[in-house]
């Protein structure tokens, strides 16, 4: 059986994106210096996330690097990251010479386990980087307390969590730095792009200077006050992101309606366990529709994903535990073996084998399509 009707496409765009691109083109400045689009996008994005300080950057990986740099992370530092995440979590720390320390995630929400974070905090820990997995916010109460007690700052990786809320608070209202990605598949996109929310004006200014080769906004004399790099977003991308931001809220509302329908259907399939929701994350933008099939082998999972794609369902295998990649061991790796990390991170190990995700465009489909998608998954799992 195959999906009968096409699911909505992604990215979505319309006249607002077209008009934005023409506006950026015709204003005569295509970079942010002297242009209006990046400045306007930053103000709008900050306001939408309950923050006063947003900085647009080139991508979500650079957003993490910049956030770490502003917090003073560098060689000799340790950064606690979830083992189950996209590789940027550990790679951003390693690019600065810092050692990533992977810890396990919760087996139901797939978010970093605060008890594992607590156990990993040591004298060299300089940052804790929770990832709001697939839009489910991490336990920000427990992590906020750990951060306050230990004095180690949090960096919320909100690459999956545009518009998310924790107990009624927006990402920018939780008192920590937060980073976002706008790559092609993300909940808002300009093909590539990223942003950092800063909790205060001082760190925001540090971020600005470092993202612009160490130059303050007013520098005309090439003084380059600090080290840095060029992480500036361009005006075209910002014009598209302003239009994308205007679409976000309605899309979240729709996905919030569809996920309960899809997850209920998925839970009825023998062997399938959908990602659990911690309701304190009271607005979940649903970047991915995730589920596990405990006990499936990696080989069989890959086959199932191939067949799902053939049948019209945009399915993917879940992330690989970061320490199970070659990249992780190339620079600034912890003084631990894969076996030791695997022993410490049993849930990330399991997700590496048995995790699946569906593109969020599935959740922009009709209610009937949620039933169809689940029926195709059931059929493929029964037959593959
Ligand atoms: C959790 C997480 N963090 C960071 C990133 C990096 O973002 P980008 O691809 O924009 O560099 C991604 C992936 O895109 C991600 O999934």
């Amino acid at each position: 059986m195959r999906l009968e009707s096409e699911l909505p496409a992604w990215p979505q765009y319309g006249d607002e994106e077209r008009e934005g691109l023409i506006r950026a083109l015709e204003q005569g400045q295509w970079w942010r210096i002297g242009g209006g689009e990046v400045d306007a996008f930053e103000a709008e994005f900050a306001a939408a996330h309950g923050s006063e300080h947003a900085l647009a950057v080139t991508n979500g990986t650079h957003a993490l690097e910049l956030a770490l740099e502003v917090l003073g992370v560098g060689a000799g530092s340790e950064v606690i990251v979830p083992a189950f995440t996209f590789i940027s979590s550990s790679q951003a720390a390693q690019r600065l010479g810092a050692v990533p320390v992977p810890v396990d995630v919760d087996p139901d929400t797939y978010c970093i386990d605060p008890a594992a974070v607590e156990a990993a905090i040591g004298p060299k820990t300089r940052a804790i980087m929770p990832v709001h997995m697939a839009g489910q916010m991490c336990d920000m109460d427990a992590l906020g307390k750990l951060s306050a007690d230990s004095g180690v700052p949090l960096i919320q990786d909100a690459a999956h969590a545009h518009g998310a809320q924790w107990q009624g608070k927006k990402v920018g209202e939780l008192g920590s730095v937060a980073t976002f990605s706008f790559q092609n598949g993300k909940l808002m996109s300009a093909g590539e792009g990223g942003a950092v929310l800063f909790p205060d004006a001082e760190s925001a200014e540090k971020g600005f200077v470092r993202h612009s080769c160490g130059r303050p906004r007013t520098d005309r004399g090439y003084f380059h006050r600090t080290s840095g790099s060029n992480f500036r977003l361009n005006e075209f991308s910002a014009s598209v992101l302003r239009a994308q931001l205007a679409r976000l809220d309605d899309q979240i509302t729709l996905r919030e309606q569809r996920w309960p329908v899809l997850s209920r259907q998925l839970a009825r399939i023998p062997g399938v366990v959908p990602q659990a929701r911690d309701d304190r994350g009271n607005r979940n933008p649903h970047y991915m529709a995730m589920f596990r099939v405990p006990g499936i082998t990696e080989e069989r999972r890959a086959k199932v994903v191939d067949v799902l794609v053939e049948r019209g369902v945009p399915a993917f295998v879940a992330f690989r535990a970061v320490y199970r990649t070659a990249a992780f061991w190339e620079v600034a790796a912890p003084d631990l073996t894969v076996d030791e990390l695997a022993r410490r991170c049993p849930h990330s190990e399991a997700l590496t084998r048995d995790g699946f995700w569906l593109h969020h465009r599935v959740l922009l489909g009709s209610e009937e399509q949620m039933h169809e998608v689940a029926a195709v998954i059931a059929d493929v799992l029964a037959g593959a």
Side-chain angles (χ1 to χ4, degrees):
M1 109 184 252
R2 200 196 136 74
L3 209 63
E4 275 173 26
S5 51
E6 287 283 318
L7 290 160
W10 192 265
Q12 296 191 351
Y13 64 94
D15 285 344
E16 296 81 357
E17 281 80 357
R18 269 190 210 96
E19 283 159 17
L21 285 166
I22 299 292
R23 210 170 50 234
L25 185 72
E26 292 182 346
Q27 74 176 347
Q29 288 294 342
W30 293 351
W31 68 346
R32 71 165 300 159
I33 321 282
E37 297 297 324
V38 174
D39 285 347
F41 171 63
E42 287 173 345
E44 290 158 9
F45 191 75
H49 289 85
S51 167
E52 287 178 18
H53 310 285
L55 181 72
V57 295
T58 31
N59 57 61
T61 308
H62 286 165
L64 287 169
E65 277 185 46
L66 189 69
L68 286 163
E69 218 183 347
V70 166
L71 293 176
V73 171
S77 311
E78 287 181 359
V79 176
I80 298 176
V81 300
F84 177 71
T85 175
F86 185 66
I87 196 71
S88 296
S89 299
S90 51
Q91 229 164 36
Q94 290 175 313
R95 293 278 292 177
L96 297 172
V99 173
V101 178
V103 303
D104 210 3
V105 297
D106 181 272
D108 303 317
T109 63
Y110 319 155
C111 286
I112 199 164
D113 174 1
V117 172
E118 187 171 11
I121 294 177
K124 293 185 186 163
T125 312
R126 294 289 173 273
I128 302 164
M129 294 212 297
V131 175
H132 300 317
M133 185 54 63
Q136 167 65 58
M137 298 268 293
C138 298
D139 183 343
M140 293 307 291
D141 292 352
L143 293 169
K145 183 167 182 329
L146 273 180
S147 170
D149 291 350
S150 62
V152 178
L154 295 175
I155 296 175
Q156 301 176 64
D157 184 342
H160 304 174
H162 315 69
Q165 288 183 24
W166 177 259
Q167 313 234 59
K169 286 195 172 160
K170 297 173 178 166
V171 169
E173 291 173 328
L174 292 164
S176 41
V177 180
T179 66
F180 295 82
S181 161
F182 307 125
Q183 55 93 313
N184 202 64
K186 291 295 191 278
L187 295 169
M188 298 170 42
S189 184
E192 299 280 4
V196 187
L197 298 181
F198 292 101
D200 55 77
E202 194 191 335
S203 55
E205 184 54 23
K206 273 191 195 163
F208 184 94
V209 171
R210 286 190 185 273
H211 106 301
S212 191
C213 298
R215 287 182 96 175
R217 284 169 212 267
T218 49
D219 180 21
R220 298 282 177 274
Y222 298 100
F223 289 114
H224 303 280
R225 208 169 67 199
T226 64
S227 68
S229 189
N230 180 357
F231 291 165
R232 293 187 304 262
L233 190 71
N234 66 76
E235 290 286 291
F236 298 110
S237 300
S239 76
V240 170
L241 289 168
R242 292 179 71 190
Q244 294 275 297
L245 179 61
R247 295 175 192 283
L248 178 67
D249 212 38
D250 286 349
Q251 290 170 340
I252 294 176
T253 301
L254 185 56
R255 288 189 295 261
E256 280 276 50
Q257 287 164 7
R258 295 292 181 257
W259 171 245
V261 179
L262 180 63
S263 67
R264 245 191 330 271
Q265 295 305 314
L266 290 174
R268 292 199 176 121
I269 304 171
V272 173
V273 185
Q275 182 185 21
R277 179 163 187 158
D278 177 343
D279 278 327
R280 291 174 297 171
N282 62 292
R283 190 146 174 84
N284 182 331
H286 298 288
Y287 169 57
M288 303 189 273
M290 297 190 84
F291 61 92
R292 297 179 58 184
V293 181
I296 197 169
T297 62
E298 261 196 85
E299 295 70 32
R300 179 151 185 264
R301 180 181 63 168
K303 182 99 180 91
V304 168
V305 164
D306 285 348
V307 179
L308 284 172
V309 171
E310 270 167 32
R311 297 195 187 178
V313 176
F316 302 83
V317 301
F319 303 122
R320 181 172 300 283
V322 288
Y323 54 78
R324 291 209 173 269
T325 66
F328 184 81
W329 297 102
E330 213 176 276
V331 282
D335 195 13
L336 292 164
T337 62
V338 174
D339 287 347
E340 175 56 19
L341 283 164
R343 196 189 58 72
R344 293 183 189 187
C345 303
H347 305 310
S348 302
E349 284 290 294
L351 277 155
T352 298
R353 289 189 302 270
D354 68 20
F356 290 77
W357 63 277
L358 309 180
H359 194 285
H360 59 84
R361 67 190 180 87
V362 168
L363 299 174
L364 295 175
S366 66
E367 190 166 334
E368 198 186 344
Q369 283 179 316
M370 300 307 106
H371 292 269
E372 279 180 41
V373 165
V376 174
I377 293 171
D379 189 51
V380 173
L381 279 172

